[in-house]
Amino acid sequence: MGRSDRRGPGDASLHLADGVALLRPEEQVFQAMLDGWRNQQLSRNLAFGTVNAREAIVRRFHAFAGSEPWQWSAADVDEFFMQRRAIHGLAQSTLLGYQLALRAFLAYLVDPAYGWSEACEERFGTHPTQVCHEWNTARHTQDAIARPKKRALTWEEVQDLFDHADNRVERILVQGRKGAVPAFRDAVLLKVAYAWGLRRNEVRMLDTIDFGFNPKAPAFGRYGVLYVRYGKAMKGSPPKRRSVLTVPEMDWAVESLVQWIEDIRPRVSGEDNPALWCTERSSRIALGSVSNTFNQFRKELGLASGIDFHSLRRSYVSHLIEYGYEARFVQEQVGHEHASTTSIYTHVSSDYRTRVVQNAFERIAERAVRQGSDEKAES
């Protein structure tokens, strides 16, 4: 059976007609490669955003190298990523993403199943090779590769952040200026993100119907559990769903949320709008707006640059551990696949560690006292 009998998405013969001369062969073959790679990735159920981002990276490398994929060398890879790291200051995680995209593109081209090597040999007398190797690219060897300055907020910093957001609402009202409603929305959004340990897009995509009743915690009413429908997706999979139970320590967030949903939100939501966070034009808040608001507060409070919106989620994990919740419960709450990921997020305070050690000493002392009493009784 020939290769043409088992053609699939991404096969060279589906994008290049055999024996047909091209007006601009290098340009057209490169575009055909990208088209084929796109189809191959979409057939694996990868998200359109992922596919588009990978293609942009390959195009960037193509422009830098000034040559075609069948002419690329390991030296091109070295120079490109050296400049991105040393001159452009790319983060390690970003650099790794670039390298993985380029490696995946070349792996597709050199795979005999797709026929690109044969097509290039026929037209250009050479063929693409894999020039991204272990010795010239980074490896993903741990669960999290965020910069060390990324951290959780302390208890005091969390309180200062929420007070600052609330005070902005008060200032706007006292001064009689416009913007009190979006300011109140932003304040409640930050509290909800922290109180349920949510990522940016998870909190942004919430609808009013995503809260439910927890029969084990009737005091929270219809806000006893939060159903996350837009969780971080695994590669090639739809958004991951999970349910997050409302914990008693976060009851203050429920109060703010109820006030937003019942009293404030109806002023801007419009009819039949399910979005929990609406703009004054009744549309769902943009993802960039979520980060911009947090970053503005961070700068106004003088917080370290390593603190970002995701720090609220890190803080949630750390503070639940300090409250005494089991690690497995916390892992389920935030939707981590592996316990090791949750442990990386955990940044407990020195006071908590001191209490743990103190409790350990107390337990040792209690055992010693009991043992002494037992020995005395036996004698």
Side-chain angles (χ1 to χ4, degrees):
M1 181 182 293
R3 192 179 57 80
S4 59
D5 295 328
R6 48 185 173 83
R7 293 180 300 178
D11 194 284
S13 61
L14 297 177
H15 301 275
L16 291 174
D18 293 337
V20 176
L22 302 176
L23 294 177
R24 302 179 306 279
E26 290 83 5
E27 176 184 337
Q28 290 174 270
V29 170
F30 176 58
Q31 183 60 53
M33 288 174 167
L34 291 175
D35 293 341
W37 190 40
R38 165 176 286 269
N39 290 345
Q40 184 250 19
Q41 292 179 93
L42 293 177
S43 72
R44 294 162 48 205
N45 204 30
L46 297 184
F48 283 95
T50 300
V51 175
N52 292 337
R54 286 180 169 186
E55 180 177 327
I57 292 170
V58 171
R59 287 188 179 278
R60 198 168 302 167
F61 181 82
H62 175 259
F64 173 85
S67 57
E68 307 306 326
W70 50 92
Q71 300 168 327
W72 291 346
S73 67
D76 295 326
V77 174
D78 293 343
E79 188 174 357
F80 178 74
F81 290 116
M82 181 275 293
Q83 287 197 13
R84 290 302 178 276
R85 183 71 174 139
I87 299 177
H88 299 282
L90 252 61
Q92 292 172 315
S93 56
T94 305
L95 190 72
L96 176 61
Y98 275 42
Q99 293 176 347
L100 290 176
L102 186 59
R103 185 199 296 268
F105 176 64
L106 289 169
Y108 159 72
L109 292 185
V110 302
D111 191 330
Y114 298 107
W116 286 106
S117 293
E118 299 172 16
C120 289
E121 283 283 2
E122 179 182 339
R123 295 177 182 274
F124 308 113
T126 186
H127 57 83
T129 59
Q130 177 61 269
V131 295
C132 293
H133 308 285
E134 289 190 2
W135 45 265
N136 68 344
T137 57
R139 288 188 297 169
H140 194 168
T141 58
Q142 58 189 51
D143 294 319
I145 54 175
R147 293 178 178 177
K149 64 181 181 179
K150 301 291 186 182
R151 64 170 177 85
L153 295 155
T154 65
W155 294 98
E156 293 77 13
E157 288 170 337
V158 169
Q159 189 61 58
D160 288 345
L161 174 65
F162 295 155
D163 287 345
H164 186 72
D166 291 338
N167 290 339
R168 185 176 70 154
V169 180
E170 294 295 329
R171 288 196 304 271
I172 293 175
L173 291 174
V174 169
Q175 296 170 3
R177 297 186 290 113
K178 293 182 178 180
V181 171
F184 188 89
R185 175 204 64 208
D186 294 341
V188 180
L189 184 150
L190 293 177
K191 295 173 184 176
V192 168
Y194 167 74
W196 281 273
L198 304 178
R199 301 178 178 92
R200 270 193 321 160
N201 197 52
E202 290 175 351
V203 69
R204 169 184 173 263
M205 294 303 296
L206 288 178
D207 290 341
T208 56
I209 62 172
D210 290 333
F211 292 89
F213 182 77
N214 179 4
K216 300 296 184 180
F220 296 132
R222 58 162 293 212
Y223 300 98
V225 58
L226 170 60
Y227 299 101
V228 177
R229 294 181 293 118
Y230 289 88
K232 185 177 181 180
M234 302 291 285
K235 184 180 294 186
S237 300
K240 186 178 180 181
R241 294 171 177 254
R242 74 176 186 278
S243 58
V244 186
L245 299 181
T246 307
V247 296
E249 292 80 2
M250 306 296 180
D251 56 353
W252 51 267
V254 175
E255 296 176 5
S256 297
L257 181 62
V258 171
Q259 186 179 5
W260 164 252
I261 292 178
E262 297 182 359
D263 299 335
I264 311 299
R265 179 183 171 278
R267 304 179 190 179
V268 295
S269 63
E271 296 182 2
D272 302 324
N273 185 354
L276 180 58
W277 315 111
C278 306
T279 68
E280 292 181 295
R281 295 184 178 181
S282 299
S283 60
R284 189 183 298 274
I285 190 173
L287 188 62
S289 178
V290 176
S291 294
N292 292 340
T293 299
F294 182 92
N295 292 336
Q296 177 185 344
F297 289 162
R298 176 183 60 77
K299 293 176 181 178
E300 291 171 352
L301 288 168
L303 297 174
S305 60
I307 293 175
D308 55 12
F309 189 89
H310 205 73
S311 293
L312 293 172
R313 181 171 161 87
R314 299 186 187 98
S315 306
Y316 175 80
V317 171
S318 300
H319 295 166
L320 284 193
I321 294 295
E322 293 196 30
Y323 281 134
Y325 288 93
E326 294 290 338
R328 178 64 183 181
F329 173 81
V330 178
Q331 179 185 345
E332 294 291 338
Q333 288 282 93
V334 295
H336 285 156
E337 192 75 17
H338 305 288
S340 58
T341 307
T342 307
S343 67
I344 292 172
Y345 273 56
T346 305
H347 303 271
V348 295
S349 67
S350 58
D351 290 340
Y352 171 79
R353 295 194 299 271
T354 300
R355 290 198 303 272
V356 171
V357 174
Q358 182 178 356
N359 291 338
F361 278 121
E362 290 176 355
R363 290 194 300 271
I364 293 172
E366 290 174 0
R367 286 199 299 269
V369 171
R370 287 198 303 269
Q371 183 177 358
S373 299
D374 293 341
E375 292 176 352
K376 185 176 182 180
E378 290 177 359
S379 62

